Amino acid sequence: TDIVPISWLRPTRKRPKGVVNAFIYMRQAYQGLIPRRKPISVRPNKEEKGLFDILDGNSTYFVAKQIGMKSLPIRYQNCDTILSVLI
């Protein structure tokens, strides 16, 4: 798990109901009512080196961007570390 700038992330889909639910869950987690969400799952973007496609957590991404978060925790799929993508 790493924390990366939100500008490094590329959403792969957007579901309006998912975004609403993500906002509710993030607010509840912030209030300590439920555990924090897991890091979003990403894989390296094939066209743009150093960027990541979001596999799971697209709605969390949209809410985080909307409320002004600058970075998000991520979990890698198909690569070991951030260095394997940036090099």
Side-chain angles (χ1 to χ4, degrees):
T1 303
D2 282 309
I3 297 176
V4 299
I6 204 166
S7 62
W8 292 10
L9 304 173
R10 297 293 178 259
T12 56
R13 65 185 173 132
K14 182 176 183 179
R15 298 174 310 135
K17 185 176 180 181
V19 173
V20 171
N21 289 337
F23 182 78
I24 292 167
Y25 295 140
M26 287 177 77
R27 183 178 51 201
Q28 290 174 338
Y30 177 78
Q31 295 170 335
L33 301 173
I34 62 173
R36 287 185 178 183
R37 300 189 79 167
K38 295 178 183 174
I40 61 174
S41 297
V42 299
R43 70 173 173 225
N45 182 289
K46 292 179 182 176
E47 287 85 35
E48 299 178 87
K49 191 167 184 70
L51 300 180
F52 300 94
D53 293 329
I54 300 171
L55 301 175
D56 184 33
N58 284 282
S59 297
T60 299
Y61 163 84
F62 284 111
V63 171
K65 192 165 178 146
Q66 184 177 11
I67 64 173
M69 292 179 70
K70 303 292 183 206
S71 58
L72 283 173
I74 62 169
R75 182 171 45 98
Y76 303 102
Q77 300 285 329
N78 304 327
C79 69
D80 295 327
T81 67
I82 197 167
L83 291 177
S84 66
V85 176
L86 297 176
I87 296 176

